[in-house]
Amino acid sequence: MQTLLLSASDPKTAATAANLIMNGELVAIPTETVYGLGANGLNEAAVAKIFEAKGRPQDNPLILHICGAEQIELFCHHIPQKAYDLAEKFWPGPLTMVLPARDCVPKRTTGGLDTVAVRCPDSAVTREIIRLSGVPLAAPSANISGKPSTTTAEHVLHDHDGKIAAVVDGGSCRVGVESTIVDLTDERPRLLRPGGITPEQLMEVLGDLVVDKAVTAQIDKDEVVKAPGMKYRHYAPSEPVVIVSGSREKAAAYIRSHFEPGDRVLCFEEELPLYEGCDPLSYGMEADVNTLSAGLFAALRELDDPSIHQVYARCPVGGGVAYAVQNRLKKAAAFHIVDAEEEV
Ligand code: AMP
Ligand code: MG
């Protein structure tokens, strides 16, 4: 199959992509978070192609992308007022809500669950594709399962060229990490995945938020979890990653004393001079966490190279968007963290 590369700025692109979606094909779509691998979320055969292309475990459910809050009730029931409050405040934007699913949503889309995740993305061309195709787009991140997510059309082609019908090129993703996921099916709202909408922002609307264990710790493969996707190895380059925490100076001393040929250092722009001779790669400015979230996956993909032995990574501290960056990096490192303050 020849994969079409469609430009988001071409006025014909939305109609071309929508036609492919209506024909049950896979189309990679730009969003503000990461590129998604989109298909008609109500068509089981089309959804099955997503799982096949990504090598995604069947029990890992997909997010349905919709045009706006008025579409929530088409695919969900028992919708609490707080879902509409969140949509009003954060949609279109990087927030996904888990709600009870209507029967029209196939179990293949929900990974067998009776709940479904919905989100309205902040990309005009993607919303237009959804509107023209007349169906919600099931769209997981457009990477091969387990690998770092895709934040450019080139990343998508690297993973899927020749295997999907088209990629809509909308440039680099602004946020760069996947959406925040909040589960609204229990009495208390539960954060299943941190992202561009921060826990602090959610608290302002909800007044209450439980952080799911999967956000902060490694989950066993056999454990029953709220977000099945969170138990799988994620975002990882081929070689091991170890996070080195602590002050700039202590971390540099630790890394430089352990560094061996074939290792790489993933650090903040401000730290590059500390790692001269260690082939450092910066993923953004520590002083501006949005540059870190936007740059993280491109850097992890660059480091996905079998000739690299080990990666020492620096991780931002604190809440807000830094919380999402920490979550992705910790998962890429399988929660392997060394505290340089405690090491000599
Ligand atoms: P991705 O599309 O690659 O960003 O992955 C989607 C994420 O959404 C995975 O971590 C899923 O576990 C989560 N998710 C999707 N649907 C549900 C649902 N119904 N309940 C809980 N988590 C969900
Ligand atoms: Mg993903």
Side-chain angles (χ1 to χ4, degrees), residues 38 71-72 89 106 123 190 217 238 257 312 330 333:
Q71 291 198 323
I72 300 176
K89 184 103 192 203
S123 155
R190 178 178 288 266
S238 48
S257 68
Y312 293 98
K330 284 178 183 173

Side-chain angles (χ1 to χ4, degrees), residues 5-19:
L5 184 58
L6 306 170
S7 166
S9 56
D10 180 339
K12 295 192 291 297
T13 284
T16 307
N19 270 320

Side-chain angles (χ1 to χ4, degrees), residues 235-275:
Y235 320 120
S238 48
E239 66 284 354
V241 177
V242 52
I243 294 172
V244 182
S245 67
S247 72
R248 220 169 251 186
E249 293 68 30
K250 288 258 173 63
Y254 176 88
I255 292 171
R256 294 195 70 99
S257 68
H258 288 77
F259 188 89
E260 289 181 4
D263 293 344
R264 292 290 303 267
V265 178
L266 177 65
C267 65
F268 311 127
E269 183 98 30
E270 296 94 325
E271 296 181 327
L272 285 172
L274 295 173
Y275 295 103

Side-chain angles (χ1 to χ4, degrees), residues 153-311:
E154 291 73 39
H155 293 162
V156 179
L157 286 173
H158 177 273
D159 286 13
H160 296 296
D161 196 11
K163 295 191 294 173
I164 62 177
V167 182
V168 177
D169 186 352
S172 293
C173 299
R174 174 174 57 82
V175 179
V177 293
E178 301 83 346
S179 60
T180 303
I181 305 180
V182 63
D183 181 350
L184 299 175
T185 62
D186 274 345
E187 220 160 278
R188 299 183 66 192
R190 178 178 288 266
L191 180 69
L192 300 184
R193 178 173 74 184
I197 302 299
T198 66
E200 295 85 349
Q201 287 176 297
L202 291 175
M203 276 297 283
E204 268 182 38
V205 176
L206 297 171
D208 182 30
L209 189 66
V210 181
V211 176
D212 197 77
K213 181 182 162 197
V215 172
T216 51
Q218 180 80 53
I219 298 295
D220 199 77
K221 265 214 160 20
D222 301 321
E223 245 177 282
V224 178
V225 284
K226 278 278 183 182
M230 301 299 271
K231 68 186 175 191
Y232 294 107
R233 187 165 186 256
H234 249 100
Y235 320 120
S238 48
E239 66 284 354
V241 177
V242 52
I243 294 172
V244 182
S245 67
S247 72
R248 220 169 251 186
E249 293 68 30
K250 288 258 173 63
Y254 176 88
I255 292 171
R256 294 195 70 99
S257 68
H258 288 77
F259 188 89
E260 289 181 4
D263 293 344
R264 292 290 303 267
V265 178
L266 177 65
C267 65
F268 311 127
E269 183 98 30
E270 296 94 325
E271 296 181 327
L272 285 172
L274 295 173
Y275 295 103
E276 242 172 68
C278 298
D279 204 6
L281 176 66
S282 144
Y283 64 109
M285 303 276 292
E286 187 178 22
D288 179 359
V289 71
N290 293 321
T291 64
L292 295 174
S293 72
L296 178 64
F297 284 131
L300 287 175
R301 292 181 77 89
E302 191 173 330
L303 294 172
D304 183 23
D305 173 348
S307 71
I308 298 173
H309 181 239
Q310 173 164 245
V311 173

